[in-house]
Amino acid sequence: MQGTAFWFFITAVVFVIIGMAWGIFMAITGDHLHAPAHAHLNLIGWVTMALFGVYYHLVPAAGESRLATIHYAVATLGVLLIVPGIVMVNEGAGEGLAKAGSVLTILSMLVFLWIVISTRGKTA
Ligand code: HEM
Ligand code: HEM
């Protein structure tokens, strides 16, 4: 595995290690206030990013475009904003960061939609 697929996977694995450690911390302390932030770190940061990585591995041509690098940057930044954003929402500290992260996260999926459409029929 290399290129875009590798970067999506390595980033997803780092996110889930942090997410799992956070889950264990919540379980130990019994404080589940930030469960939604933990959930989205794992579900967007790990599951969604790893699925992107699977696609780029299955369709190497998709990972060679400049758009794939932009996709990686937007998706990663989305997670990095939405997760602390949800923490802030749960602490009543404002919704701005969560909104910015949400927009980037859906934008990354729209970019991915275009990548999937434009690489139709291409395989390894
Ligand atoms: C070491 C691994 C993990 C631990 C110890 C852990 C622990 C927890 C804890 C304590 C909660 C709060 C439960 C509650 O308040 O009802 C939670 C919620 C949640 N976790 Fe994890 N978690 C882990 C990994 C994961 C992974 C890998 C995912 C997804 C791929 C995930 C998805 C979720 C979701 C979606 C919720 C929210 C459930 C809800 O709101 O009903 N967790 N987790
Ligand atoms: C732009 C991206 C997303 C936004 C803005 C978003 C927003 C939300 C919101 C507002 C809730 C309700 C939280 C609460 O009641 O405390 C929620 C819950 C949930 N979302 Fe998302 N979501 C996004 C992406 C995803 C994705 C990609 C997945 C799965 C792959 C997912 C899985 C879940 C699950 C399982 C819950 C229920 C668990 C919980 O309450 O924490 N979400 N989401």
Side-chain angles (χ1 to χ4, degrees):
M1 183 171 289
Q2 53 189 340
T4 310
F6 171 80
W7 286 107
F8 268 111
F9 258 97
I10 195 77
T11 307
V13 171
V14 170
F15 281 149
V16 80
I17 289 169
I18 299 167
M20 286 176 165
W22 195 351
I24 292 169
F25 181 75
M26 284 194 299
I28 291 170
T29 59
D31 180 358
H32 297 182
L33 174 66
H34 294 304
H38 152 90
H40 287 82
L41 174 59
N42 287 327
L43 289 166
I44 304 176
W46 165 235
V47 181
T48 307
M49 297 270 290
L51 284 173
F52 290 150
V54 169
Y55 187 81
Y56 286 112
H57 182 67
L58 291 175
V59 186
E64 285 158 15
S65 70
R66 189 174 164 77
L67 194 58
T69 309
I70 294 171
H71 178 217
Y72 170 78
V74 173
T76 303
L77 192 61
V79 175
L80 292 175
L81 294 189
I82 200 171
V83 173
I86 298 170
V87 168
M88 286 178 69
V89 169
N90 287 336
E91 291 183 347
E95 297 182 350
L97 205 59
K99 284 178 183 166
S102 302
V103 170
L104 286 180
T105 299
I106 196 165
L107 189 62
S108 80
M109 197 55 84
L110 290 170
V111 171
F112 185 58
L113 172 66
W114 173 249
I115 286 172
V116 171
I117 291 169
S118 62
T119 53
R120 183 182 175 205
K122 295 186 181 173
T123 48

